Amino acid sequence: MSNSYRVAVVGATGQVGTLMLQLLRERAFPASEIVPFASSRSVGRELEGDLVVRGLDEESIQGFDLALFSAGGSSSGEWAPRFAAAGAVVVDNSSRWRMQDDVPLVVSEVNPEALAGHRGIVANPNCSTMQLVVALKPLHDAAGIERLVISTYQAVSGTGKAAVDELLDQSHALLHERAIAPPESYAHQIAFNALPHAGSFAAGDDHTDEERKLIDETRKILGDPAIRVSATCVRVPVVNGHSETVNVQTREPLSPERARELLAAAPGVTVLDDPAAALYPLAIDASGQDDVFVGRIRRDPGHERALELWIVADNLRKGAALNAVQLAELLDTGGLLRAQPAGTTV
Ligand SMILES: NC(=O)c1ccc[n+]([C@@H]2O[C@H](COP(=O)([O-])OP(=O)(O)OC[C@H]3O[C@@H](n4cnc5c(N)ncnc54)[C@H](OP(=O)(O)O)[C@@H]3O)[C@@H](O)[C@H]2O)c1
């Protein structure tokens, strides 16, 4: 008999949470019940599928087999261990647990084997890291990656719903020759601009936390701390879909033709690479799609063992919600979720 799980979705009213609910339904995850949680602001709100939002408290979190979190780092810090202590396996979208040694940081196509070591919490990587490693994995396996130089062009949806509204409001105001309200999501106006400031600067650090995540998480997921990573993360006025230029220097020689073949055969990757026909991945096309799209695959004229890539994906989908649901599926099929005996639910 197949398993059937009681599933909590924490942050269910947000962009990522809404998509996780949709994907659990679309992909027919074996759930006996799905319970949405959000902040106290949303308690009682009705969501699609006759779901009613609940608040987090010691009683409401009992009896779950699986908890998918996308409610920010502080909620995860406080509530993920409590869900885990109550018997659930937590898949967390925030950065709170990702670099902790005993927490697997997993991308379904890259290092699914790491799930086996979980101790109640599994971390879902940062969105820009996610799409990067899906594309890098086949190249790393074939030729060993020595160094990466990455520039991102990150959509505002990566910051949250409020940032999407701010981009649209600013654009509307400027197109109607009206003054914009003071920026709240970013340090500067995002409409018709590019900000070399995705994430935030911790005191004394000349890199943003987003850049640090890209560097640290890439090494952890690929299981190779020797890879040297340089990163600049830029926020651009795109609603959804992150783009990245990536210079990949390999230990062994790797031709663009071979890289194209490897990427075309890789799970979760679609190659779109015919620049003469203006065919390359675009954020507006990747938005709403599951795959990571790669194009502009070419030799770096500045280095004999380096290639240039352009990598685009839906940051809310593969970059967050889809990978979380794929991890839930792998936890189920791998026997790593323990359905609680009937009668234990509240
Ligand atoms: N956006 C991305 O591309 C992306 C990618 C990877 C990871 N993530 C991570 O996923 C998380 C959510 O991102 P998002 O874009 O979905 O944000 P969002 O649209 O702003 O949604 C935030 C969600 O968290 C809930 N929440 C906030 N404070 C809470 C609290 N104290 N207790 C319980 N729930 C609380 C909100 O509930 P209310 O509606 O009640 O306020 C809402 O459901 C963040 O940790 C983010 O870093 C996002």
Side-chain angles (χ1 to χ4, degrees), residues 71-312:
S74 56
S75 307
S76 293
E78 186 179 352
W79 291 99
R82 296 197 196 179
F83 268 94
V89 177
V90 173
V91 178
D92 181 36
N93 271 291
S94 82
S95 58
R96 175 64 180 81
W97 302 102
R98 290 180 192 148
M99 294 310 295
Q100 195 152 308
D101 282 344
D102 59 356
V103 174
L105 180 63
V106 189
V107 180
S108 63
E109 298 87 352
V110 180
N111 60 338
E113 68 287 348
L115 285 173
H118 86 74
R119 295 169 63 181
I121 301 178
V122 172
N124 213 32
N126 178 253
C127 39
S128 40
T129 310
M130 189 90 72
Q131 64 187 65
L132 175 75
V133 295
V134 170
L136 291 183
K137 167 74 171 161
L139 310 184
H140 187 51
D141 287 348
I145 293 173
E146 196 165 65
R147 180 165 192 238
L148 299 165
V149 182
I150 306 156
S151 292
T152 69
Y153 303 73
Q154 295 182 222
V156 294
S157 63
T159 310
K161 223 161 25 192
V164 175
D165 292 341
E166 191 161 321
L167 168 63
L168 299 179
D169 289 347
Q170 287 180 357
S171 304
H172 190 261
L174 291 164
L175 287 169
H176 290 83
E177 298 179 2
R178 286 202 301 265
I180 62 165
E184 288 182 8
S185 297
Y186 305 111
H188 303 279
Q189 171 189 321
I190 182 65
F192 309 108
N193 209 357
L195 308 178
H197 183 172
S200 48
F201 291 98
D205 196 349
D206 56 5
H207 283 64
T208 66
D209 56 352
E210 192 78 5
E211 289 159 352
R212 294 281 173 210
K213 289 178 206 169
L214 199 49
I215 295 167
D216 298 339
E217 294 179 21
T218 298
R219 292 182 177 135
K220 179 169 175 176
I221 297 162
L222 292 177
D224 191 342
I227 299 174
R228 287 179 292 153
V229 188
S230 308
T232 305
C233 292
V234 180
R235 190 72 62 187
V236 293
V238 168
V239 171
N240 192 43
H242 288 351
S243 305
E244 300 172 341
T245 59
V246 186
N247 183 282
V248 187
Q249 188 178 314
T250 52
R251 297 184 179 118
E252 305 298 325
L254 182 66
S255 68
E257 295 72 28
R258 181 72 188 127
R260 212 171 278 119
E261 277 170 18
L262 291 165
L263 286 163
V269 176
T270 296
V271 174
L272 296 176
D273 197 15
D274 186 359
L279 181 69
Y280 29 70
L282 296 174
I284 53 171
D285 297 334
S287 184
Q289 303 290 321
D290 285 353
D291 268 6
V292 171
F293 298 88
V294 187
R296 300 293 320 276
I297 303 164
R298 63 202 191 277
R299 162 85 47 227
D300 171 5
H303 195 285
E304 67 281 5
R305 278 181 290 102
L307 300 176
E308 297 276 4
L309 310 178
W310 174 247
I311 303 172
V312 182

Side-chain angles (χ1 to χ4, degrees), residues 11-16 38-39 41-42 56 70-72 75 93-94 98 127 157-158 160-161 315-316 319-320:
T13 53
Q15 302 179 110
V16 176
S39 78
R41 293 179 289 274
S42 304
L56 294 162
S70 64
S75 307
N93 271 291
S94 82
R98 290 180 192 148
C127 39
S157 63
K161 223 161 25 192
N315 50 292
L316 296 178

